[in-house]
Amino acid sequence: MKIEVIRITQQGNVFYVGKMKAANLVKIATTKIRRPKTHDQYKTFLQEIDEIVNKEIAQGDVWYLREFERDANIQRKESKKRLIEIGKDIEKINNIFPNAIICNISPLDECNGDEIVKISENGTVLEFDENKVEFSIIDGQHRLGGFNYTSDVQKYLNDYDLVVSIMIGLKPAQQAELFATINGKQKPVNKSILYDLSAMSKDEYTEQVLAHLITTWLNMHEQSPLYRKIKMLGSGEGTISQAAMIDAIQPLFSDRNYRSSFDAPVLRELYLKHDIKGIVQIIYDYLSIFITYFGCKEFDHPIYMKSTGIGGLLKAFPTLYSEFYDKTKTRTENISILKSKMYTVLEHFVPTSNKYPGGGASVQKRFAEDLIALLCSNSNVV
């Protein structure tokens, strides 16, 4: 295939802009839709983690997931509603798609040794064998997919020239970074997906990657109180969004300025020591105590296993950690202290959607304030 192009250079990076008939583009393009993994698909991950923790959380650790760097499925899941809307737009008189569809050309595994893309000497023609490359869409999947929702697919595919920006040989992590850069500040992309993409960078030690991995661990490990309760990538099974969990966990060890005790980075010291095991252990113990306690009681419309309840619990954590956690005591002793206080004063605490309607930050804050008021005082009335 040959495409007439213009060579573009930006800060030493080179890519090409050209045009392709929509019919040709859909023949060769692939869309890497990043899908939430099922429990079975995480089997390799679980085996790696279980080898480290030896099936005892007290011996646990969390490690960078190499699987994320290998997983090239960076696109958000297609929205059928959006595709239908675009299909209708395509059929409108005078409709145009002026924005470029951003693509990447990489060799298929068996063609690594070949020169997969040839550029003419004057840089105006790009040539490649479509049978030896993966021509993937980094951004623009819905525009291209919308053609399939027109009344005459082939007619409209033949009618449209599309602007394409073509990258060559980007690694999956680079494609993910580009996708996140393009879409990160726009509303349509589910925030959870952008968090998931952060784990595809190198295994550098960052607050966001750590929060992401802790969230993944909490969702996938059978000992976790949130086992299979988190909606990874913002969809699928679960009652708590991945983004909400990361937003709640990251402030516990974040270096940013905090405005109240609800955001105090009480686990910052452990983070700086790279004590991931210690951070996971404390968060695990804390959530387990409360979720087990609330789970033993009967509530109409409980929220302790939803974003409101978990968000409220984690907002209360810095205060309760400072109040009850004693570094000189053992883990068992610290758990016992908090448990004894809970069973004394929480009898009248009612974590339900009727008492805490909605799921915003203000409701989570009120949940946290009520919990703190009870546990840090002698009162037993909310």
Side-chain angles (χ1 to χ4, degrees):
M1 180 171 286
K2 294 182 180 181
I3 304 173
E4 292 186 2
V5 294
I6 301 171
R7 177 188 170 100
I8 305 293
T9 303
Q10 296 178 352
Q11 296 192 36
N13 299 305
V14 176
F15 62 98
Y16 300 87
V17 176
K19 71 172 183 177
M20 292 183 67
K21 189 68 71 176
N24 290 333
L25 185 54
V26 297
K27 284 181 182 177
I28 66 171
T30 60
T31 302
K32 293 295 185 180
I33 302 174
R34 192 165 172 79
R35 303 183 188 280
K37 292 176 175 57
T38 66
H39 179 66
D40 290 337
Q41 288 174 309
Y42 264 103
K43 186 175 181 181
T44 301
F45 160 68
L46 285 175
Q47 288 175 340
E48 280 188 26
I49 296 298
D50 281 342
E51 287 176 5
I52 297 172
V53 303
N54 196 26
K55 298 184 180 180
E56 292 289 338
I57 188 167
Q59 304 299 319
D61 203 348
V62 176
W63 203 250
Y64 176 75
L65 305 183
R66 293 186 300 276
E67 183 178 4
F68 281 112
E69 191 167 358
R70 292 197 299 266
D71 187 351
N73 297 331
I74 65 170
Q75 280 279 14
R76 63 191 121 162
K77 187 167 65 175
E78 287 181 336
S79 163
K80 186 173 181 179
K81 180 180 178 182
R82 179 68 179 136
L83 291 170
I84 292 173
E85 290 173 352
I86 292 176
K88 291 179 180 178
D89 288 339
I90 290 171
E91 294 184 340
K92 291 178 181 178
I93 297 175
N94 296 327
N95 179 68
I96 62 172
F97 285 143
N99 294 340
I101 291 178
I102 301 175
C103 315
N104 178 71
I105 303 178
S106 290
L108 295 175
D109 289 342
E110 62 270 22
C111 305
N112 282 335
D114 295 348
E115 184 182 353
I116 61 165
V117 180
K118 297 178 181 179
I119 309 294
S120 62
E121 290 186 7
N122 59 5
T124 61
V125 178
L126 185 150
E127 181 179 358
F128 57 92
D129 183 344
E130 57 266 37
N131 296 313
K132 294 184 177 181
V133 303
E134 181 178 78
F135 195 99
S136 55
I137 306 298
I138 296 175
D139 189 65
Q141 70 174 109
H142 283 93
R143 275 168 284 160
L144 196 57
F147 284 93
N148 206 38
Y149 290 83
T150 58
S151 58
D152 190 335
V153 177
Q154 199 58 48
K155 172 186 180 298
Y156 288 106
L157 284 173
N158 290 328
D159 280 350
Y160 271 80
D161 286 331
L162 296 176
V163 181
V164 290
S165 290
I166 302 173
M167 317 289 163
I168 298 176
L170 292 185
K171 301 296 184 184
Q174 294 172 308
Q175 295 181 51
E177 182 180 1
L178 179 57
F179 174 78
T181 300
I182 294 168
N183 293 285
K185 295 183 179 179
Q186 298 178 6
K187 294 290 186 182
V189 178
N190 187 300
K191 192 177 181 183
S192 290
I193 295 181
L194 300 188
Y195 280 134
D196 193 70
L197 296 180
S198 72
M200 292 181 65
S201 61
K202 297 297 182 182
D203 53 340
E204 57 188 354
Y205 188 67
T206 68
E207 296 168 6
Q208 190 179 85
V209 169
L210 178 58
H212 170 90
L213 295 180
I214 292 173
T215 297
T216 302
W217 190 94
L218 288 170
N219 188 59
M220 297 310 302
H221 203 286
E222 293 181 5
Q223 288 181 270
S224 167
L226 298 180
Y227 177 56
R228 298 198 193 185
K229 296 297 183 183
I230 301 171
K231 296 180 182 179
M232 302 305 287
L233 298 181
S235 62
E237 60 183 319
T239 56
I240 307 158
S241 80
Q242 177 186 10
M245 281 299 301
I246 293 172
D247 279 343
I249 289 173
Q250 189 171 334
L252 302 181
F253 43 77
S254 177
D255 190 30
R256 65 188 177 189
N257 293 328
Y258 62 96
R259 289 178 282 184
S260 71
S261 60
F262 297 115
D263 300 317
V266 291
L267 301 181
R268 181 69 181 173
E269 183 179 347
L270 294 178
Y271 174 82
L272 294 175
K273 292 179 179 179
H274 289 227
D275 187 0
I276 303 173
K277 181 179 74 174
I279 294 173
V280 174
Q281 187 70 73
I282 291 169
I283 293 174
Y284 164 85
D285 287 341
Y286 175 78
L287 292 176
S288 294
I289 291 170
F290 282 96
I291 289 173
T292 301
Y293 175 84
F294 291 140
C296 292
K297 298 182 176 296
E298 294 185 5
F299 301 106
D300 292 327
H301 311 296
I303 60 166
Y304 62 88
M305 289 292 280
K306 298 181 180 179
S307 295
T308 302
I310 297 299
L313 284 174
L314 290 172
K315 281 185 180 298
F317 174 82
T319 300
L320 299 181
Y321 177 82
S322 300
E323 181 77 17
F324 295 106
Y325 190 84
D326 187 340
K327 295 179 182 179
T328 65
K329 298 184 182 298
T330 66
R331 173 194 173 203
T332 302
E333 288 172 332
N334 279 309
I335 291 173
S336 178
I337 291 170
L338 184 55
K339 275 186 174 179
S340 63
K341 183 68 173 179
M342 283 176 57
Y343 283 89
T344 303
V345 303
L346 283 188
E347 183 64 30
H348 302 289
F349 188 76
V350 185
T352 68
S353 57
N354 293 329
K355 188 171 182 60
Y356 301 98
S362 61
V363 178
Q364 294 178 20
K365 181 181 177 182
R366 184 160 62 85
F367 182 105
E369 289 172 337
D370 291 347
L371 189 62
I372 291 168
L374 276 173
L375 290 172
C376 296
S377 71
N378 294 321
S379 171
N380 64 354
V381 179
V382 180

